[in-house]
Amino acid sequence: MKEFTALSIVYPAVTNILLGIKKVEIRSWTPPRLPMRDVLLIENRKYLHDGDVDPDAKAVALVDIISVIPWTYLDSQLQDSSTKITKEWKPGYFMWEISNIRKIAPTINCIAKKGFYTVKVEINNKIIEHK
């Protein structure tokens, strides 16, 4: 078992990241440090509020978060729905650049929480390198 920093993202965002059609994550807050390497992306099916936990989520990818820039109105107008999902532009949001995307297959049952959190999972022989 290895300990990872995890980030839950509502479906289909992680799937879109794995497909290469979503290259940034949009959040109203920034990571505690940059770069963040080997962040475990957990895909869940509902938006979480403070204190919520989704026990039916799946660990589906490992990524690096390498930079953060403000999300501008122009950015929001140029991005398609696979990036924004249901987010409407608001000042004070940020785009997190994601790189080094590695798919986990088969997925791993995991809990989803809000924000960054720590999970212990076994991923040996489950990582498929993405090009």
Side-chain angles (χ1 to χ4, degrees):
M1 294 282 235
K2 184 173 177 185
E3 194 169 274
F4 290 91
T5 298
L7 179 68
S8 67
I9 304 178
V10 176
Y11 176 85
V14 182
T15 298
N16 290 342
I17 290 167
L18 288 169
L19 292 171
I21 56 177
K22 179 175 168 57
K23 306 210 185 289
V24 296
E25 174 63 8
I26 300 166
R27 297 279 170 145
S28 63
W29 49 282
T30 60
R33 67 188 180 287
L34 290 172
M36 290 186 72
R37 307 273 184 216
D38 297 328
V39 175
L40 189 64
L41 295 187
I42 311 295
E43 193 163 62
N44 58 306
R45 297 287 178 153
K46 63 180 182 176
Y47 283 97
L48 301 174
H49 302 283
D50 288 335
D52 285 352
V53 174
D54 181 352
D56 299 317
K58 305 275 185 199
V60 298
L62 275 176
V63 302
D64 297 339
I65 301 168
I66 59 172
S67 69
V68 174
I69 60 172
W71 188 39
T72 67
Y73 180 74
L74 179 59
D75 291 326
S76 74
Q77 297 303 300
L78 296 174
Q79 291 165 332
D80 63 28
S81 63
S82 65
T83 296
K84 296 186 287 191
I85 310 295
T86 61
K87 279 194 176 72
E88 295 294 326
W89 182 83
K90 293 182 200 173
Y93 275 70
F94 302 91
M95 293 189 308
W96 301 9
E97 183 182 359
I98 299 166
S99 71
N100 193 21
I101 300 159
R102 291 147 287 159
K103 181 178 183 178
I104 297 173
T107 60
I108 302 168
N109 293 335
C110 214
I111 64 167
K113 296 181 181 180
K114 191 170 179 179
F116 285 112
Y117 57 101
T118 302
V119 295
K120 287 185 180 180
V121 294
E122 185 63 53
I123 63 168
N124 290 345
N125 303 319
K126 292 187 177 213
I127 297 178
I128 300 168
E129 295 294 328
H130 250 48
K131 301 284 187 231

